């Protein structure tokens, strides 16, 4: 590994230290780390800027405009009441919410799903004097867990599926991953409902800054007809994107432009609905991922951790592949982690004459199982901003969740996909 690789790892470690002890805001920490990589020459100015012009950043911005229009309708109140009515305490609310979200996330893209339900949960919590921070991390976790269950549940599954087909395999069936995903959903929901929620902060209404309590329960002035059109367009967008007829960016931009021209949302409201700090975090995270790859640090870490363990046999290799992917996804996002580790898994399985499919499943599940930091998965970033969490809240609740999903996966993968 080059000197640049060593420096890059040091910068990333320093960034995590700063975030764990909550010394600065997450967007400042990531932007600072990105600035250091630029100053020392790991990244060029163009590579730094490209992170902020990435499709993911533009997609989230467009989606927030769409959701900004959707969340102002009266339907939000009815939906909140239907999901969260007759609450019987934190455990029951957590289990009920996570079950519904996980079921929807198996078939719908989890980013707009979390974007839609975040204001629902937040408004309901404030109106009913229930801390939204008790439910927002479970909301994100449920969306992640549900996405593991089907081919279209998350883009990570589709990426690994494409990599398999590219290398001569059949790829994943629509519900093939459910044999691991569904038990993980059950285990994750029970953990959060019975134990995990107890470690989430309980912020008061005053602590939930940025909420306009005077207007939170007012009826929106837009007509029911326009509300209906807004929901129809939103549902159509979700369906066509889920079946890969168009990209999420294309769908979100088309719908947001229609909303603006139809005055379903004003330009001022659209600009105000975009979370600029969140976009800084996503853009910076993409830039840091580029730095890890370009400097050789990511490949060096992955190769050095996997190769020695492979000498202990196929099952040990499976655990190593899963573990390294699981660690990588917390640092460089889920899709990047899958793309980084897959070629190494391919090389190792070819050298050992093993079946690639179980290792591909491990990569898909582990890359999605990003629970321990807010920067590894975009739904975590969304609720991180909305719930005013600290970095440590994800570590405390997320590490046990990662262990549960890993244990279930490592146990079940060899049962359904032979290693040799």
């Amino acid at each position: 590994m080059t000197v640049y690789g060593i420096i890059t790892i040091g910068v990333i470690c320093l960034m995590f230290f700063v975030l764990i002890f909550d010394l600065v805001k997450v967007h400042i920490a990531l932007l600072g780390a990105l600035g250091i990589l630029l100053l020392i020459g790991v990244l060029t100015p163009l590579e730094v800027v490209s992170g902020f012009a990435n499709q993911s950043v533009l997609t989230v911005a467009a989606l927030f405009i769409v959701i900004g229009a959707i969340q102002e309708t009266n339907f939000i109140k009815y939906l909140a009441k239907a999901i969260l009515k007759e609450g019987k305490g934190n455990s029951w609310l957590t289990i009920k919410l996570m079950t519904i979200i996980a079921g929807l996330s198996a078939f719908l893209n989890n980013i707009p799903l979390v974007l839609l339900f975040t204001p629902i949960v937040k408004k309901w919590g404030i109106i009913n004097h229930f801390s939204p921070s008790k439910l927002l991390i479970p909301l994100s976790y449920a969306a992640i867990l549900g996405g593991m269950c089907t081919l279209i549940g998350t883009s990570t599954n589709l990426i690994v599926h494409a990599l398999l087909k590219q290398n001569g395999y059949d790829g994943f069936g629509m519900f093939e991953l459910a044999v691991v995903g569904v038990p993980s959903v059950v285990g994750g929901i029970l953990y959060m409902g019975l134990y995990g929620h107890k470690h989430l902060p309980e912020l008061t209404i005053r602590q939930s800054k940025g909420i306009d309590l005077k207007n939170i329960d007012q009826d929106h002035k837009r007509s029911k007809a326009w509300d209906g059109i807004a929901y129809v367009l939103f549902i159509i967008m979700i369906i066509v994107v889920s079946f890969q007829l168009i990209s999420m960016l294309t769908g979100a931009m088309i719908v947001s432009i229609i909303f603006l021209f139809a005055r379903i949302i004003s330009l001022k409201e659209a600009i105000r609905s975009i979370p600029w700090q969140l976009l800084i975090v996503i853009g910076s995270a993409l830039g840091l991922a580029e730095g890890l790859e370009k400097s050789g640090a990511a490949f060096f870490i992955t190769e050095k951790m996997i190769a020695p363990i492979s000498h202990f046999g196929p099952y040990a290799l499976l655990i190593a592949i899963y573990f390294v992917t699981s660690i990588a996804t917390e640092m460089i996002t889920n899709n990047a982690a899958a793309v980084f580790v897959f070629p190494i898994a391919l090389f190792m399985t070819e050298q050992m004459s093993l079946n690639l499919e179980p290792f591909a499943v491990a990569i898909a599940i582990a890359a999605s199982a990003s629970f321990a930091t807010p920067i590894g998965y975009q739904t975590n970033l969304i609720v991180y901003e909305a719930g005013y969490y600290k970095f440590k809240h994800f570590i405390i609740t997320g590490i046990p969740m990662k262990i549960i999903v890993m244990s279930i996966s490592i146990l079940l993968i060899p049962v359904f996909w032979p290693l040799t």
Side-chain angles (χ1 to χ4, degrees):
M1 183 169 58
T2 65
V3 174
Y4 279 151
I6 296 172
I7 295 174
T8 301
I9 292 174
V11 170
I12 299 295
C13 290
L14 177 62
M15 181 194 73
F16 273 98
F17 176 84
V18 168
L19 289 173
I20 289 170
F21 289 96
D22 201 38
L23 300 179
V24 297
K25 296 289 186 181
V26 65
H27 68 283
I28 295 175
L30 268 73
L31 198 59
L34 191 64
I36 294 173
L37 295 186
L38 173 63
L39 287 173
I40 63 177
V42 174
L43 294 173
T44 66
L46 184 60
E47 288 168 336
V48 170
V49 174
S50 66
F52 296 94
N54 185 276
Q55 181 172 318
S56 297
V57 177
L58 300 176
T59 300
V60 170
L63 278 172
F64 265 100
I65 295 175
V66 174
I67 301 302
I70 293 291
Q71 72 184 47
E72 291 301 326
T73 63
N74 292 324
F75 179 70
I76 291 294
K77 297 175 186 177
Y78 305 136
L79 192 58
K81 290 177 182 178
I83 294 174
L84 300 167
K85 68 179 181 179
E86 299 177 2
K88 299 178 181 178
N90 291 355
S91 292
W92 170 246
L93 279 174
T94 302
I95 291 172
K96 185 179 180 182
L97 177 67
M98 291 187 71
T99 300
I100 293 170
I101 297 301
L104 292 172
S105 183
F107 302 97
L108 303 176
N109 189 284
N110 49 25
I111 296 174
L113 189 65
V114 172
L115 280 172
L116 177 61
F117 276 88
T118 294
I120 294 175
V121 171
K122 201 165 184 177
K123 288 183 178 182
W124 178 89
I126 293 173
I127 291 170
N128 292 276
H129 305 286
F130 185 92
S131 177
S133 57
K134 283 289 187 181
L135 294 175
L136 289 176
I137 280 182
L139 168 65
S140 177
Y141 286 1
I144 294 171
L145 290 167
M148 297 177 181
C149 298
T150 63
L151 176 61
I152 63 173
T154 175
S155 58
T156 307
N157 292 348
L158 291 168
I159 287 173
V160 178
H161 168 77
L163 290 170
L164 278 171
K165 291 182 72 68
Q166 185 179 323
N167 287 278
Y169 289 81
D170 293 333
F172 300 138
M174 176 62 78
F175 299 102
E176 187 175 357
L177 295 173
V179 294
V180 176
V182 172
S184 297
V185 168
V186 174
I189 291 175
L190 289 177
Y191 157 69
M192 286 303 299
L194 300 177
Y195 180 77
H197 71 88
K198 298 177 182 178
H199 296 281
L200 295 175
E202 190 164 352
L203 302 178
T204 64
I205 294 177
R206 288 182 180 179
Q207 289 173 300
S208 298
K209 54 188 176 182
I211 301 298
D212 186 356
L213 296 177
K214 293 180 180 179
N215 298 324
I216 198 168
D217 203 27
Q218 290 181 355
D219 289 336
H220 194 65
K221 295 180 180 180
R222 191 163 63 228
S223 69
K224 290 183 178 179
W226 280 119
D227 284 355
I229 292 171
Y231 281 111
V232 169
L233 289 173
F234 179 73
I235 292 169
I236 291 173
M237 181 194 75
I238 296 296
I239 292 173
V240 297
V241 168
S242 296
F243 286 95
Q244 296 182 278
L245 301 178
I246 60 174
S247 70
M248 176 60 75
L249 175 59
T250 301
M253 289 189 71
I254 290 173
V255 173
S256 61
I257 290 170
I258 292 173
F259 281 3
L260 286 167
F261 273 101
R263 297 181 182 272
I264 293 175
I265 186 172
S266 69
L267 181 60
K268 184 177 180 180
E269 290 172 332
I271 294 173
R272 191 168 58 239
S273 68
I274 297 174
W276 300 105
Q277 289 186 4
L278 176 60
L279 299 188
I280 290 173
V281 170
I282 296 172
S284 299
L286 293 169
L288 292 175
E290 176 69 18
L292 282 166
E293 180 181 13
K294 184 181 177 183
S295 67
F299 189 82
F300 176 83
I301 294 171
T302 306
E303 185 182 38
K304 292 301 179 182
M305 291 182 70
I306 291 176
I309 297 176
S310 65
H311 297 298
F312 295 95
Y315 194 71
L317 179 62
L318 179 70
I319 295 173
I321 291 288
Y322 187 102
F323 181 78
V324 170
T325 309
S326 182
I327 296 299
T329 192
E330 303 293 354
M331 301 173 62
I332 56 174
T333 77
N334 51 322
N335 291 340
V339 172
F340 278 140
V341 180
F342 187 91
I344 296 173
L346 176 63
F347 175 77
M348 295 303 302
T349 52
E350 287 178 348
Q351 292 294 309
M352 300 174 66
S353 300
L354 301 175
N355 178 19
L356 177 61
E357 288 183 329
F359 299 92
V361 174
I363 291 171
I365 298 295
S368 291
S370 180
F371 305 111
T373 70
I375 64 175
Y377 209 99
Q378 289 178 347
T379 59
N380 286 347
L381 280 171
I382 293 165
V383 299
Y384 178 83
E385 292 289 326
Y388 308 104
Y389 294 109
K390 293 183 178 180
F391 202 84
K392 65 180 181 182
H393 296 133
F394 282 86
I395 296 175
I396 293 170
T397 57
I399 289 179
M401 178 73 85
K402 289 181 75 71
I403 293 172
I404 290 169
V405 174
M406 180 176 179
S407 300
I408 292 171
S409 301
I410 294 302
L411 179 65
L412 293 180
I413 288 173
V415 174
F416 294 97
W417 294 272
L419 298 179
T420 57

